[in-house]
Amino acid sequence: MVLAAIGAACAVAALVVTFFVVRHRSPKLRAQRLERMCIQGPAAMRTAKFEKCVQIYTRALKLASGARLAAIHRQIGICRQFQCRFDDALASYAESGRLADQCGDKRGKAHALGNIGWVWQQRGVHAKALAFYERAIEIYKELGNRQGEATARTNIGMIRQAEGDHEGALNCLREALDVFAGIGAKMEQAGTLSEIAGVHLDQGEPELALEYLQKALLLARESCDRQGEVAVLGRMANVHARTGHLALARAQYDELLKVHREMGDPGGEARDRMGLGDVLVRKGDYESAAGYLTQALKVFLTLGIADGPRKCLTGLRMCLTVMGVKEFSAVCENAKLEPRTVTELLKVLELRITAPTVR
């Protein structure tokens, strides 16, 4: 009886193993699993659960092929980019482009080129970013893909803005916005409206900037784009800081810092600390401001986000002027900045302090 029981148990186990092998190899079941994952992945991304999204797509890689496989690599790259893991993002985008080329997927190739451009843009290598955007635009035009072309135009507009060409930036952004509005792409409209608001803020038009941001916030929420919503709220906090509503701005940055920490977005956390530092400089609390700004600077330098350090310098210069070298250096040490970095930072800031003002 014992032998019979063992034999029966082995038979059941064999049936279970056979079931799972067949289930794993069944093309129909594999396709169903892949479709489920390709629904779960975007849902996780919309709520900014990037690590969960990567886990889902990594499993999906084993089930996909051709253009679908290229697209999944690109989605992993997008998640890594939001996490500021730029080298990982570039590797995923390059693989996506290679696979798209391999299977003749021109649309996928253009998407990968645009994404690579975005990484170089965040790293501040604008010439390289523009070259990738132009290559992507050529393919989008060939395909008649107006949304893809508009996305590249939006990014080019952001480069123009970073270079101080406000009119060129607005031309690119408005052109893109018209396309997105025409096809009903709410998430893309929100992002572009937010960028237009940034241009108007830099032009000294905060009221107009807030009008655009209110429209952007509504669209981001309608499209359930959590990442986009948070980005708009961060820009609103910046407007409030610049217009003297310091208590409101500080409360917004404090809340955003918690949200970015939950998202696992170190770049977002650094931007929030930079915003808090700016608010505290305006309030005259230079020691606290220097703490936030040096923490932000360290993260920006570590992640390789190009425009972050530049945006920290104005507030840090004010802190150094008021605090003096000794106290300022102590704050830098508390932020665990490398001694060589502190030395270089002091040189840059002291140069800015002693440079003649151009009128």
Side-chain angles (χ1 to χ4, degrees):
M1 287 184 68
V2 173
L3 289 175
I6 293 172
C10 289
V12 171
L15 284 171
V16 170
V17 170
T18 302
F19 170 76
F20 280 113
V21 169
V22 171
R23 187 173 186 272
H24 180 70
R25 290 180 179 175
S26 167
K28 182 178 179 180
L29 290 173
R30 285 169 63 88
Q32 288 174 350
R33 287 180 61 203
L34 179 58
E35 289 304 320
R36 283 198 300 272
M37 290 176 184
C38 288
I39 292 171
Q40 293 165 353
M45 188 180 290
R46 279 194 298 272
T47 55
K49 296 176 181 176
F50 300 119
E51 198 57 44
K52 179 180 178 181
C53 188
V54 169
Q55 292 170 3
I56 292 168
Y57 280 130
T58 299
R59 295 197 301 270
L61 289 175
K62 300 174 183 178
L63 304 171
S65 61
R68 177 63 70 84
L69 183 60
I72 292 171
H73 275 288
R74 192 172 74 87
Q75 293 300 317
I76 291 174
I78 291 171
C79 291
R80 291 310 188 201
Q81 191 162 347
F82 275 127
Q83 295 173 311
C84 298
R85 293 173 56 172
F86 296 130
D87 288 338
D88 291 339
L90 280 174
S92 292
Y93 293 147
E95 181 64 6
S96 176
R98 185 189 71 79
L99 290 167
D101 257 343
Q102 197 175 73
C103 66
D105 177 18
K106 289 187 176 182
R107 180 173 175 271
K109 176 68 173 180
H111 286 343
L113 289 170
N115 287 128
I116 291 171
W118 179 235
V119 174
W120 289 116
Q121 182 173 342
Q122 285 188 279
R123 284 183 160 176
V125 189
H126 289 170
K128 203 164 188 176
L130 286 169
F132 277 102
Y133 289 146
E134 293 299 340
R135 288 173 61 191
I137 286 172
E138 285 178 15
I139 300 174
Y140 285 134
K141 283 183 174 178
E142 181 185 340
L143 297 173
N145 187 329
R146 297 185 68 217
Q147 181 169 349
E149 187 179 347
T151 298
R153 294 281 181 212
T154 299
N155 294 336
I156 291 173
M158 294 166 67
I159 290 177
R160 299 285 179 247
Q161 170 65 2
E163 294 175 343
D165 180 6
H166 300 317
E167 197 57 39
L170 286 174
N171 287 338
C172 286
L173 293 168
R174 286 169 178 160
E175 181 183 343
L177 183 63
D178 287 343
V179 174
F180 292 140
I183 61 178
K186 291 184 178 182
M187 188 166 66
E188 288 78 5
Q189 285 181 73
T192 308
L193 285 166
S194 180
E195 294 305 325
I196 291 173
V199 178
H200 285 301
L201 183 59
D202 284 350
Q203 288 180 313
E205 301 169 326
E207 295 83 4
L208 189 54
L210 275 176
E211 286 181 25
Y212 278 101
L213 289 171
Q214 290 290 356
K215 294 175 184 176
L217 185 61
L218 180 63
L219 288 166
R221 286 173 173 169
E222 285 180 359
S223 55
C224 301
D225 178 18
R226 180 61 168 156
Q227 184 73 17
E229 178 186 351
V230 170
V232 173
L233 291 171
R235 188 156 264 160
M236 282 183 166
N238 186 21
V239 174
H240 291 139
R242 291 206 200 180
T243 53
H245 298 89
L246 301 183
L248 176 57
R250 181 167 188 178
Q252 288 175 316
Y253 280 127
D254 280 330
E255 184 61 30
L256 287 167
L257 186 59
K258 295 175 188 175
V259 173
H260 280 124
R261 191 175 293 121
E262 289 170 4
M263 286 181 173
D265 180 357
E269 288 186 55
R271 289 192 298 274
D272 300 331
R273 287 194 175 92
M274 183 175 67
L276 284 164
D278 179 49
V279 169
L280 291 166
V281 165
R282 293 170 189 274
K283 292 182 72 174
D285 185 354
Y286 295 103
E287 185 174 350
S288 299
Y292 280 110
L293 290 167
T294 50
Q295 290 167 19
L297 178 65
K298 181 183 178 182
V299 175
F300 287 137
L301 292 171
T302 301
L303 297 175
I305 298 176
D307 66 342
R310 176 179 57 81
K311 290 180 178 179
C312 288
L313 291 181
T314 301
L316 287 170
R317 184 177 71 241
M318 289 290 295
C319 294
L320 175 60
T321 302
V322 174
M323 297 170 65
V325 173
K326 185 176 180 180
E327 286 186 36
F328 184 84
S329 299
V331 172
C332 292
E333 185 179 339
N334 288 337
K336 294 184 170 54
L337 286 176
E338 295 290 334
R340 186 173 65 177
T341 302
V342 177
T343 301
E344 291 300 315
L345 177 60
L346 287 170
K347 286 180 182 178
V348 170
L349 294 177
E350 288 173 341
L351 180 63
R352 284 173 169 246
I353 290 169
T354 57
T357 302
V358 178
R359 296 187 182 277

